Structures are given as C-alpha cells and as structure tokens.
Amino acid sequence: MTDYGSFLNALASPGQPAKAFEALEALTKELVGVKLFTVMTSSGTSKTSERVYSNMPDAYPVSGTKPYHDNVWSDITLRDKQTFVANTIDDIAKVFDDHELIKSLGCESVINVPVIIDGTVVGTINCLHDQGFYTQDRVAAAEALKLPGAICMLLHETKKGTL
C-alpha cells in the first residue's frame, strides 16, 4: 500500500501546482525510481503536448507546446491509455526525436504513464533511467502514480484558469 502522506502534505502547502509536482517526483523516486522526470499535458484535439514540470530544466525546460506524432507511442499511451515502456535507447529512438539528448543525460529506458481524467488522457508522467531499468515490477508500481498525477494535472489546469 502506497503512503501518500508526503504528497497530501504538499497539496496543503501554498505554491501550487509546483509543490504538488515536486511531491509527485519524490513519490516517483520512492515507488519506481527515476533520473529524468517530466510531466507533460496532452491535447488529442490539437495533437500537442506541453511540459509542465521537469527535474532537469536546463535540458528539458518547462515552456511552450510541441506536436506529437502518430506512432506506436501515441497508439499505446494516448489511444490505448496504457503505460509505454522502452528499455533500450534503440527502442526510444524509434519514437522520440530527442533520443540523443536522452542518452547524453545517462538515460536509456523510459516509461510514460498516462494520466486519465473523465476517459481522456490529459497528460503523461515521464520517467527515464538506465538501460533495462523499468522491469515489470517497476511498471506495475507506476500505476500508483496515476491518482496523484491526476490531482497535479487538475491543479495545473485550475491555476491556468481553464477549469
């Protein structure tokens, strides 16, 4: 059973949604393990995403939107609403144009956990680590991130004034 105590304490703190995203990162480190951690919004209508949190802002800043491509990643994550897993840099390169940057940061595996609200994927929790890091057990543990991820996304949207 996951202890959400620290996450709940962060929710009660001023400075939202930053405090909640920081607590989500800490929870992710505890439950799953992560080197590079980002959270992206997702718009199926415009086929764009926006990075709203990054633990490596020099490499992956929080800014602007970018288009996403229809490929196996979008099929698994956005259409099928399942966690995408790639445990080698070669598999990452098949779906992400920034694979060289990812490798330069010491990361060669990724999981992208979809955040689903009202039947729609509103974003992804993106975890990157060493090659082969995301075992079946770690991927299963990442399911516990979906609820706090949804709360973070709702806080983000509330602060933007879109809810």
Side-chain angles (χ1 to χ4, degrees):
M1 182 103 181
T2 303
D3 178 11
Y4 291 107
S6 295
F7 182 78
L8 293 173
N9 287 338
L11 289 178
S13 301
Q16 297 302 334
K19 293 292 184 187
F21 282 125
E22 290 167 6
L24 179 62
E25 177 189 354
L27 186 62
T28 302
K29 285 180 179 177
E30 176 188 332
L31 294 177
V32 182
V34 67
K35 283 185 175 181
L36 171 58
F37 177 82
T38 67
V39 179
M40 307 279 293
T41 64
S42 176
S43 170
T45 306
S46 64
K47 291 191 177 186
T48 59
S49 57
E50 175 187 10
R51 189 174 303 108
V52 295
Y53 182 83
S54 173
N55 72 342
M56 293 187 188
D58 290 340
Y60 284 96
V62 174
S63 64
T65 61
K66 68 178 190 176
Y68 60 79
H69 307 290
D70 287 325
N71 58 28
V72 67
W73 177 87
S74 61
D75 288 346
I76 292 169
T77 308
L78 303 177
R79 185 193 69 207
D80 299 341
K81 302 173 183 157
Q82 300 297 313
T83 297
F84 175 83
V85 183
N87 268 310
T88 68
I89 198 64
D90 290 338
D91 287 340
I92 290 172
K94 292 174 186 174
V95 294
F96 297 127
D97 295 336
D98 58 345
H99 57 91
E100 290 177 0
L101 176 57
I102 290 168
K103 186 173 182 177
S104 77
L105 296 171
C107 299
E108 295 191 38
S109 65
V110 63
I111 57 173
N112 304 110
V113 180
V115 177
I116 304 162
I117 298 173
D118 195 26
T120 302
V121 176
V122 297
T124 57
I125 300 167
N126 310 304
C127 308
L128 294 94
H129 213 294
D130 299 331
Q131 180 173 316
F133 187 80
Y134 292 110
T135 62
Q136 261 186 327
D137 288 345
R138 288 186 170 117
V139 173
E143 289 295 306
L145 301 174
K146 289 183 175 182
L147 176 60
I151 294 167
C152 287
M153 296 304 277
L154 289 169
L155 275 171
H156 171 73
E157 293 302 314
T158 299
K159 288 294 182 172
K160 278 178 45 177
T162 57
L163 281 182

